[in-house]
Amino acid sequence: ALSVPAPKTSAGVLHDSASRFLFHGMAGGGQGRAHGLSRLRRQPLKLPALNDVSGESKLVPEEQYIFMHYMPEENLVACGCGKCGTTSMWSFIYERKFGQPWSYMDEPFVQEVTSERWHGKVLHETDEVVQHQIMAQVNLSFALVRDPKERLLSSWKSKLACEGELFGTDVPTRAYFTQRLLETAGWHSPEVTCLSLGDFLEALKRVHELNRQQYLDRHFLPQSDGCFSRFPPEKWSMVTTVSNTEAFDVLAEKLGSSGGEVPYTHASTSKVAVSEEALALLDEVTASEYELLRDYLPYPKIRSAGVYVRTGTSSSWFLDGHH
C-alpha cells in the first residue's frame, strides 16, 4: 500500500479528513475520469488491515473527529455532520462568541474549531469517560442534522460528481475522495477520479455491506455514526436542522448573545436526476438514519424517482416543478 499525501487546494494543504487515510493509488484530477464502475471490471481488493505490523489501528472511526467539541466557558456542546450546515453553525457560534463575523478566507476554516483562530475556546474531547461527565451536566448540547437523502445528494455533488463546473464540485480534492470511498468499499480502480450518482450509491451500499461505514469520510458518514454514536438523539438538549431559526435563538442565548440570521452558503441550483435504481439505493443506505432521526426531521421530499433541484435559498431538494 502507498501512503498518499493529502491533495493540495488553492489555499494549500487540505485541512480535512483527507490527510488521514491510506490507499493503494490515486489518479490525477483534471476534469475527472468516470469509467463507469458498473461496467468496469471491479478488481477485488483486500481491504486495508485494521491493524498494521505493530498492532496499531490504521483506520480511525470518523466519529472521533466530529465528537465532542465542548465550550467550557458556556458549558456547551455543539456537533453536526458533514453537509448538515456545520459551516453555518460554527460561523454563527463564532460571531456570537467574539462579536464579529468570521472574516478569514484561507485555511484553517471555521469548522477547524481547535485552530488558533478560535483562541482555545473550543475543546476537542475524545475520552469517553469525560464525554459522559460533560453530557451529564452540560447547559446545552446542540446537534445539527439533515434529511439523509438530501445530504447524500449534496455530498456527492460537492465531493465526487464528474460534472464539476455544473455542480460546483471541489475538483482539486475529488480524486482523493473518490479513491478513499472506493478503497473503503474494497474496489481497486485507481484510474477512476470521479463518480456518477449511481456508482457513488453502489459504493456506499458495498461499504455498508462490509460494515465499514464508520470509516467513511464525514460527508458520507451516517449520522448515527457521528454525533449520535455514543449519545442517541434523546440524550441531547436540542436536535435540529440548520433552517430552524428558533433553535439558533436558543443557541445564541446560551452564548450570551441575541439571535439573528444564520450565515448561509449559497448552493448550486443544478438539477439531479434520481432514477428508480438510485432511489432504491438511497432508501437502503439511509434506512437506519431515518429510523433514528424520524422525530427530528421534516417530512422527506425525495420519495420518488425524478429530477430534483435545490434552490439557492434552501437546504432542501425539491422535485422539479414542485417547489
Side-chain angles (χ1 to χ4, degrees), residues 83-265:
K83 302 306 289 185
C84 280
T86 49
T87 298
S88 296
M89 179 185 74
W90 286 114
S91 296
F92 182 90
I93 291 174
Y94 183 92
E95 183 169 352
R96 278 141 192 85
K97 176 65 178 177
F98 297 105
Q100 60 186 23
W102 180 273
S103 59
Y104 302 101
M105 302 300 291
D106 59 345
E107 299 183 46
F109 299 121
V110 68
Q111 305 97 317
E112 304 292 330
V113 294
T114 57
S115 76
E116 67 280 0
R117 291 174 175 174
W118 279 86
H119 305 287
K121 300 301 183 181
V122 183
L123 305 181
H124 182 202
E125 181 56 66
T126 59
D127 184 277
E128 190 169 353
V129 173
V130 177
Q131 288 178 349
H132 276 86
Q133 292 172 344
I134 291 172
M135 290 293 278
Q137 54 78 48
V138 72
N139 284 339
L140 177 69
S141 51
F142 187 92
L144 209 58
V145 297
R146 186 177 180 185
D147 179 274
K149 293 178 188 176
E150 295 182 10
R151 174 176 171 249
L152 286 181
L153 283 185
S154 292
S155 296
W156 166 73
K157 281 178 52 179
S158 172
K159 300 300 178 185
L160 302 171
C162 300
E163 303 87 349
E165 291 186 4
L166 178 64
F167 290 143
T169 309
D170 188 359
V171 174
T173 64
R174 182 175 57 192
Y176 163 78
F177 283 108
T178 297
Q179 283 298 307
R180 170 169 175 174
L181 177 59
L182 295 183
E183 289 284 328
T184 310
W187 293 338
H188 184 48
S189 302
E191 69 279 19
V192 178
T193 62
C194 62
L195 293 174
S196 69
L197 177 60
D199 287 332
F200 161 59
L201 295 173
E202 287 279 5
L204 270 188
K205 177 185 175 182
R206 177 62 175 160
V207 170
H208 282 255
E209 289 172 345
L210 293 168
N211 196 28
R212 303 205 72 193
Q213 60 269 23
Q214 69 270 30
Y215 300 117
L216 287 166
D217 174 78
R218 67 186 70 181
H219 298 90
F220 316 122
L221 183 75
Q223 293 171 80
S224 52
D225 290 295
C227 303
F228 308 116
S229 178
R230 294 177 181 171
F231 300 91
E234 60 269 21
K235 297 295 184 180
W236 291 73
S237 309
M238 300 197 77
V239 177
T240 186
T241 63
V242 72
S243 60
N244 186 342
T245 56
E246 292 182 0
F248 278 86
D249 286 342
V250 174
L251 177 59
E253 181 184 348
K254 296 298 182 181
L255 290 163
S257 179
S258 58
E261 291 187 8
V262 179
Y264 179 74
T265 302

